[in-house]
Structure formats: structure tokens, C-alpha cells
Amino acid sequence: MNWEENVRRVVPYVAGEQPKDAGVIKLNTNECPYPPAPGVSRLAREFETADLRLYPALDASPLSDALAERYGVSRDRVFVGVGSDDVLSMIFLTFFNSHRPVLFADVTYSFYDVWASVYHIPYRQIPLLPDFHQDIPAYLSGEAGGIVIANPNAPTGLSEDLPDIERILQANPGCVVVVDEAYVDFGGTSALPLLETYDNLLVVQTFSKSRSMAGMRIGFCIGSEKLIGYLNDVKFSINSYTMNRPSLVCGAEAVRDEEYFQKTVAKVVSTRERAKKELTALGFSFPDSDANFLFATHREIPAQDLYEYLRDRKIYVRHWNKPRIENYLRITVGTDEQMEALYAALRERIAKA
Ligand code: PMP
């Protein structure tokens, strides 16, 4: 026997590039272009490194308390993790444990099928409609082993109305329904109010986008006490201390500074709305994004060409060589200045066409 026959093999998720070059305009991984709240920087500077001697709090306080207060739920309805990737991965492992397939879109966050594969979970991808909206009726059979909807969806930026999310919940009392709201702070409507009615709903959010803390790795979900209890049982069977002390302190501070959060989100949204006009004028079309990125296709120039042209000018956007979306670029909304540089480079390339 060869040891390699027993390896858990998987084709890993491919994350966007993280170039080390200082001069790059980075519009490829949906980070926020603004710094975290001022209190976060202060706490990070003043962090008492002697405390690193001790393990962090098992209940993830003070972060879990700050989240519970901000979202008006008790702390035993909040679960935090090392980015929402960690939270989603735990959710897949905990709740998707049947022979029935888990359903998610064909064009969505491309980590979902990777988690399903690594945990040997059967899944079925539901094609988005031609306009890139979710095919809601395809989720209503009530036979799924689980459902995951990114809302707003990535990479399209489109969101579905809350009544449509509720139709999915109504039809599926027999499985856990996950709404991945990584981008919801920039538009769309959160499913959080539905938690009062559906004890099989988990709403997942992240600090990586609207709270400018991708580098700290904080994500969370809110659900019924029962769901969070099961999630904790699995998490505590793998690693009790996922969240480090600086993250717990800095994350709590980011949640408390509501004013800075609202201001930052408003700036990104205003730049996004201007980008819609600029890109339209340049010959692009795109779904009407509610997120901090635009998913744009040009009427003449192939996305691959544009991607390479921009990259040569140190402007990084995201491009996938995948069916249905190979002629699109996902462009993260940066600062106004970064976006001006993008428009200038695109104008230059288009003039050469
Ligand atoms: N969900 C979606 C839809 C995303 O686009 C991302 C970002 N790559 C994540 C979850 C994970 O983000 P993070 O782990 O940084 O919270």
C-alpha cells in the first residue's frame, strides 16, 4: 500500500493575488480602501503584549459582546471566526451532513464548492438566470441538504429581495439555510430580521470589507441559540482558541465606532455610484451592484485583454477564466483617486481599439 492513496485530495480555492509591490493599485480582492476605525489603530498600538502569554477568552469576548449589542441579540446567538471563511467552513462541516445535496449558485463565491469537496459533502450548483439573478424557484423543492446564498452575490454584486430569501426559508424547514452577507453593508437588505421566525437560518458577515479589517481576519454569524450551540460543539472539537487576543479587542472597537463605519460605507457607495456612470460612458455594462465592486464587461474589448493591460500598469482587478464569466472583470471600488487612475488607463486602452 502507498501512503498517497490515503491523502484527502482537493483542488484548493484560488485567492486573489496579494502583490508585494508598493506602487500597485489593488482593486482585486474587495478590501476597503480606507483604514480601520481610529480606535482600532490606537488599541493595536497600545496592546499589552504581556497579555499574549495567556490564551484568549473562550467566549470570544469582548468581540462577541460588542456584536451581540450592535445586532440586538444575546451573546449565545453569535459565533465568531477567523474571517467569514472560517465561519462558513465550520458551518459546512457542522450542518451539511446528509446524503442530500447542498444547493448554491453556479456563479457565486468559489469557496463553497471547495469546502463541499474537502468535507465530502454532496452539492448541486443552480445556474444563475441569464440576468445573473438567483433562480429562486430552483431552491424551493424542500429536498436540499442545505442552502447557501451569497446576498449580495459575488462576483455579480446583485442582491435578492428579502421576500425571496424568505420564500427559500419557508420551503426548506428541513435544512440549514445560510445567507452569506459579506457585502450587505454596501447595499441590499439583511436577512437578520428573519432570524426571529426561522431557527434554521444563519446570517454570516465579515469585518474584511465594510470594517476595513481583512488583515485581522474576523467573521461572524448570527443564528438561533440551537444552531450556534451545534457550531460551537464542532468548533470546540477542533480548536478552542481560534480568535487571538488583539483581534478580539480591536474587533470590538471597530463595532463600537458606528459613526466611522457609516461614513466609510457611504464613501465607498458614493464612489461606486460614480463608477457606474464612468464605466458606462466607457462602453462597459454590468449588473447593478449593491456591493463594493462592479462586475463589468466591455462591448468591444475582451476582459482578458483589459485585465492584462491594467496589470501591466500595476492596476490589479480580478478575472476568471470560467464559463459564463470569462468576459467580465470584477473591479473593487477603491478611493476616488484610484478609480480615476483606472478610468484613465481604460480610456487609453479603449482609444487604441
Ligand atoms: N463570502 C464572500 C461572498 C466573499 O466574497 C468573501 C471574500 N473573499 C468571503 C465570504 C470571505 O471573506 P473573509 O474570510 O475575509 O471574511
Side-chain angles (χ1 to χ4, degrees), residues 70-82:
R70 164 68 167 76
Y71 293 97
V73 295
S74 58
R75 200 178 60 192
D76 46 16
R77 297 185 62 183
V78 179
F79 178 87
V80 298
V82 186

Side-chain angles (χ1 to χ4, degrees), residues 13 83-85 88 109 112 150 154 180 182-183 206 208-209 217-218:
Y13 170 74
S84 53
D85 282 341
L88 286 161
Y109 187 30
Y112 301 153
D180 178 352
Y183 301 101
T206 178
S208 299
K209 323 290 175 181
R217 310 303 296 127
I218 303 176

Side-chain angles (χ1 to χ4, degrees), residues 254-265:
V255 177
R256 281 191 219 107
D257 196 341
E258 185 66 25
E259 193 187 329
Y260 182 84
F261 165 72
Q262 298 291 352
K263 251 177 33 198
T264 307
V265 166

Side-chain angles (χ1 to χ4, degrees), residues 31-46:
E31 290 132 329
C32 185
Y34 304 107
V40 172
S41 315
R42 182 176 44 77
L43 285 174
R45 270 197 313 275
E46 292 172 2

Side-chain angles (χ1 to χ4, degrees), residues 13 15-16 29-30 81-88 108-112 115 149-155 180-183 204-209 213-215 217-220 293 318 330:
Y13 170 74
T29 50
N30 296 344
V82 186
S84 53
D85 282 341
D86 181 36
V87 175
L88 286 161
T108 189
Y109 187 30
S110 47
F111 224 138
Y112 301 153
W115 287 312
I149 302 275
N151 199 36
N153 195 14
D180 178 352
E181 297 188 346
Y183 301 101
V204 183
Q205 296 192 6
T206 178
F207 282 45
S208 299
K209 323 290 175 181
M213 290 174 78
R217 310 303 296 127
I218 303 176
F220 65 98
F293 54 84
R318 193 94 197 254
R330 192 195 64 189

Side-chain angles (χ1 to χ4, degrees), residues 145-186:
I147 290 175
V148 188
I149 302 275
N151 199 36
N153 195 14
T156 65
L158 280 178
S159 56
E160 305 302 326
D161 295 337
L162 208 51
D164 282 330
I165 301 294
E166 182 155 20
R167 279 167 73 203
I168 294 176
L169 281 155
Q170 272 166 353
N172 290 283
C175 72
V176 170
V177 176
V178 180
V179 183
D180 178 352
E181 297 188 346
Y183 301 101
V184 78
D185 295 325
F186 302 105

